[in-house]
């Protein structure tokens, strides 16, 4: 039997005993008559009914609290999953490269990447509301700042490539000549070099950040297991 229920029953019994003692004192300590017994029985039934009602109310409140706790645990677990999902979708986008021959696809790539970053920002805010872990928050914030820098560098290079594409498009329609073919070839090589340089830089920076990313993943798993198996 729960401690709170034992305490409640004890209090009720003590109250009944006190009531009976007081009742008989008021009767001049005479033997109980049928009327006395009837009154006492009536009072006991009244107290029993009140006790049952209060017990049910307590049970309902406890059930509500238990359900609320379950919902919070479920939400906490879900926000950890969601922030990991949005983070790694964003990282994957930063690491990938669009078709550099098509400026429209490059712009679409930049816009999609910006939206993925916004998703990470939103999920980070929700994570701070539900998860109390400075370690997880600090690691995540460092990863976001690092990849935001990489994203800015890569998008800057993408805009440079779009500019090169425009120059290439301006050359193509004109009447072919040796000079123009050489100019076109130089621009194509310039675009290729720009892509190779930024790809190499991104890969190097990702390699440096990989241990931190893995640590965040492991800390997230630990937090989920901690939620599922809380300490008693």
């Amino acid at each position: 039997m729960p401690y709170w229920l034992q305490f409640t029953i004890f209090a009720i019994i003590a109250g009944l005993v006190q009531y009976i003692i007081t009742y008989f004192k008021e009767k001049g300590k005479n033997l109980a008559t049928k009327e006395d017994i009837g009154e006492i029985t009536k009072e006991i039934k009244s107290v029993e009914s009140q006790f049952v009602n209060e017990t049910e109310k307590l049970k309902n409140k406890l059930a509500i609290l238990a359900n609320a706790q379950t919902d919070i645990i479920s939400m906490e677990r879900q926000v950890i999953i969601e922030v990991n999902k949005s983070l790694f979708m964003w990282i994957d986008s930063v690491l990938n490269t669009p078709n550099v021959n098509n400026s429209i696809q490059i712009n679409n790539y930049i816009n999609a990447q910006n939206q993925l970053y916004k998703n990470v920002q939103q999920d980070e805010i929700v994570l701070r509301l539900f998860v109390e872990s400075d370690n997880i928050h600090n690691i995540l914030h460092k990863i976001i700042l690092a990849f935001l820098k990489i994203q800015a560098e890569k998008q800057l290079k993408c805009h440079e490539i779009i500019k090169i594409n425009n120059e290439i498009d301006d050359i193509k329609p004109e009447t072919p000549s040796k000079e123009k073919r050489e100019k076109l070839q130089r621009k194509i090589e310039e675009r290729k070099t720009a892509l190779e340089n930024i790809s190499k830089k991104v890969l190097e920076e990702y390699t440096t950040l990989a241990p931190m990313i893995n640590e965040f993943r492991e800390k997230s798993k630990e937090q989920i297991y901690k939620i599922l198996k809380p300490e008693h």
Side-chain angles (χ1 to χ4, degrees):
M1 181 182 295
Y3 174 78
W4 63 269
L5 190 55
Q6 293 179 6
F7 178 80
T8 304
I9 294 173
F10 176 78
I12 292 173
I13 294 173
L16 283 172
V17 171
Q18 184 61 39
Y19 171 81
I20 294 171
I21 293 172
T22 303
Y23 184 86
F24 283 114
K25 281 184 178 180
E26 291 178 354
K27 288 290 184 178
K29 298 182 181 179
N30 292 325
L31 294 174
T33 63
K34 290 183 179 180
E35 179 185 352
D36 295 331
I37 295 172
E39 287 296 326
I40 294 172
T41 302
K42 183 179 178 181
E43 186 65 25
I44 290 174
K45 288 183 177 180
S46 175
V47 173
E48 285 178 346
S49 177
Q50 183 180 358
F51 170 72
V52 171
N53 291 336
E54 291 300 323
T55 301
E56 288 302 317
K57 288 180 182 179
L58 284 172
K59 286 181 179 179
N60 291 335
K61 288 180 180 179
L62 287 173
I64 292 172
L65 289 173
N67 290 335
Q69 181 66 22
T70 300
D71 290 341
I72 291 173
I73 290 173
S74 177
M75 292 176 72
E76 185 177 353
R77 183 176 66 250
Q78 190 61 34
V79 296
I80 295 173
I81 294 172
E82 288 301 321
V83 77
N84 272 270
K85 184 190 300 183
S86 61
L87 176 66
F88 289 105
M89 286 181 66
W90 177 47
I91 290 175
D92 185 63
S93 173
V94 174
L95 295 177
N96 286 331
T97 302
N99 179 9
V100 295
N101 298 328
N102 189 316
S103 295
I104 294 176
Q105 289 188 23
I106 295 175
N107 278 319
N108 291 340
Y109 165 81
I110 292 172
N111 292 333
Q113 196 173 86
N114 290 337
Q115 183 57 53
L116 289 171
Y117 168 62
K118 289 180 181 179
N119 294 344
V120 174
Q121 280 185 306
Q122 293 170 356
D123 288 342
E124 183 189 17
I125 292 171
V126 178
L127 183 75
R128 289 186 178 277
L129 290 175
F130 284 92
V131 179
E132 296 181 1
S133 174
D134 291 338
N135 199 0
I136 286 180
H137 296 313
N138 292 337
I139 297 172
L140 175 61
H141 195 62
K142 289 178 181 177
I143 293 173
I144 291 174
L145 290 178
F147 268 91
L148 188 59
K149 178 176 176 291
I150 296 173
Q151 174 178 283
E153 293 172 346
K154 190 165 185 180
Q155 289 189 4
L156 180 61
K157 190 62 66 175
C158 283
H159 286 296
E160 290 179 11
I161 291 174
I162 290 175
K163 183 179 178 181
I164 295 173
N165 285 343
N166 292 336
E167 293 173 352
I168 290 174
D169 290 338
D170 290 338
I171 296 171
K172 283 181 177 181
E174 298 183 10
T175 305
S177 67
K178 182 179 179 181
E179 181 182 352
K180 294 188 183 302
R181 286 197 301 269
E182 290 175 351
K183 185 178 179 181
L184 179 61
Q185 188 61 37
R186 285 196 300 271
K187 287 298 176 182
I188 292 174
E189 287 297 323
E190 183 182 351
R191 180 175 64 188
K192 180 181 177 183
T193 301
L195 176 62
E196 289 175 348
N197 289 342
I198 191 61
S199 298
K200 181 180 178 181
K201 188 173 183 180
V202 169
L203 183 59
E204 289 173 351
E205 293 182 355
Y206 173 75
T207 302
T208 302
L209 293 169
M212 188 188 302
I213 295 171
N214 290 332
E215 182 182 4
F216 176 72
R217 185 186 290 113
E218 291 303 316
K219 293 296 181 184
S220 296
K221 288 180 182 178
E222 290 175 8
Q223 187 67 21
I224 290 176
Y225 293 147
K226 182 180 178 182
I227 295 168
L228 295 176
K229 298 179 181 179
E231 296 180 0
H232 296 287

